[in-house]
Amino acid sequence: MRTPRAAQPPDHRTRPAGRPRAALLIAAGAALATAFTWGSVPAAHGAQAAGLPDGTEFHDYPLQVHAWVEANPGDPRQPLIADRIAAQPQAVWFSHYEPGTVTRDAAAVTSAAEAAGEVPVLVSYMIPNRDCGGASAGGAPDFPSYLDWVEDFAAGLGSGPAAVILEPDSLALTTCLDGAERAERFSSLARAADLIHAANPEARVYFDAGHSAWHEPAAMAATLTEAGVLESGDGIYSNVSNYRATGDEVAFAQDVLAALGDDSLRAVIDTSRNGNGPAGSEWCDPPGRLVGENPTADTGNELIDAFLWVKPPGELDGCAGPAGQFSPEMAHQLAGG
């Protein structure tokens, strides 16, 4: 069963009018940097704790939804979208191959988060042959270029806490790869995580586990092990760009972690669009869905680091419009309109 293809996000350098510019954010970060850390328990994989501390606040960086809200004050859908979606912290996707600016662009996000005493969530989405040529096809032209891009991306992560969602679909979706291509991808993912940790030991790197209706936990754990999560990762993520119910994803993630057998690993779950659960097997812009639990590190489960909004609600999967395009109509539906 295919996972929903992670949508092509907007240019992460675009900011709505009136939002702080990167230079101001970097200056503010230098002046207001906090003493926030992951904690005192060392992890095996380069971060500073076995899990996110309760009370962690995630950073709300301006995305397409913010631009739309600011540009459409008279639209009858605007109040609900602003209140239910734009008010929540969401992940920032790095999906456009722009090696000359990626360090600066990542630094704009992380410095703004550090200035606010919050944790940014960043999605690295640049693996070659991503989505097996589907609606979100693209990525770096080859693996040496990919690792160069990751090194530049990591250079912008600063020194504060950050959560990195490493390459959605990269492990759960490998049907288009032969054995050599699979091995090259997996070794590059492990190397990418190592580069991120070397640049910022406070960063937590989560590897792709698909979702609860795709692969069996033992099979997913075997793939994750092959890709180096035990040596290079801080945990796993599930349900990115999907609609599976939170309870199912928690159970699935716990089973994958148990199969991995490393008690320092944790999981995060994408709850951005799973408030009504799945629409059968349909993953591509199904109607009648709702946003799910708000982003939080207070999950009530020590194995689940956070519920996150990884896929920004309202950004399309590729069926109701181009993948990654913001749809106010879809956002309004997801907000409960």
Side-chain angles (χ1 to χ4, degrees), residues 185-214:
R185 173 179 288 192
F186 287 11
S187 66
S188 294
L189 287 168
R191 178 61 179 153
D194 291 341
L195 287 168
I196 291 168
H197 284 135
N200 180 0
E202 291 285 342
R204 295 185 64 78
V205 182
Y206 299 91
F207 281 50
D208 174 37
H211 60 71
S212 61
W214 198 355

Side-chain angles (χ1 to χ4, degrees), residues 223-281:
T223 299
L224 284 156
T225 299
E226 186 182 352
V229 72
L230 296 174
E231 297 80 18
S232 301
D234 299 291
I236 63 173
Y237 59 83
S238 71
N239 205 44
V240 166
S241 297
N242 214 310
Y243 302 83
R244 300 289 154 182
T246 301
D248 292 340
E249 295 309 300
V250 168
F252 170 72
Q254 290 182 141
D255 288 346
V256 174
L257 292 172
L260 287 168
D262 185 332
D263 61 10
S264 73
L265 297 176
R266 298 291 184 268
V268 295
I269 294 168
D270 186 358
T271 60
S272 61
R273 306 186 299 179
N274 71 348
N276 266 354
S281 61

Side-chain angles (χ1 to χ4, degrees), residues 102-103 144-157 191-192 195-196 198-199:
V102 65
T103 300
S145 299
Y146 170 67
L147 291 174
D148 286 344
W149 179 90
V150 171
E151 189 167 16
D152 291 338
F153 167 74
L157 294 179
R191 178 61 179 153
L195 287 168
I196 291 168

Side-chain angles (χ1 to χ4, degrees), residues 36-155:
F36 184 93
T37 63
W38 293 121
S40 58
V41 180
H45 310 287
Q48 298 302 308
L52 290 177
D54 289 348
T56 295
E57 295 289 337
F58 296 105
H59 186 62
D60 184 17
Y61 193 76
L63 302 172
Q64 287 189 98
V65 64
H66 302 95
W68 184 88
V69 164
E70 292 190 13
N72 294 274
D75 191 299
R77 300 168 295 185
Q78 192 260 21
L80 184 59
I81 293 173
D83 178 67
R84 192 64 191 95
I85 295 177
Q88 297 301 324
Q90 299 163 50
V92 181
W93 288 63
F94 288 77
S95 67
H96 301 295
Y97 186 62
E98 296 169 342
T101 63
V102 65
T103 300
R104 183 192 69 198
D105 297 341
V109 177
T110 57
S111 60
E114 186 175 6
E118 296 169 340
V119 175
V121 181
L122 306 95
V123 182
S124 167
Y125 193 49
M126 201 57 63
I127 199 81
N129 197 19
R130 71 180 182 210
D131 197 31
C132 282
S136 294
D142 52 51
F143 282 102
S145 299
Y146 170 67
L147 291 174
D148 286 344
W149 179 90
V150 171
E151 189 167 16
D152 291 338
F153 167 74

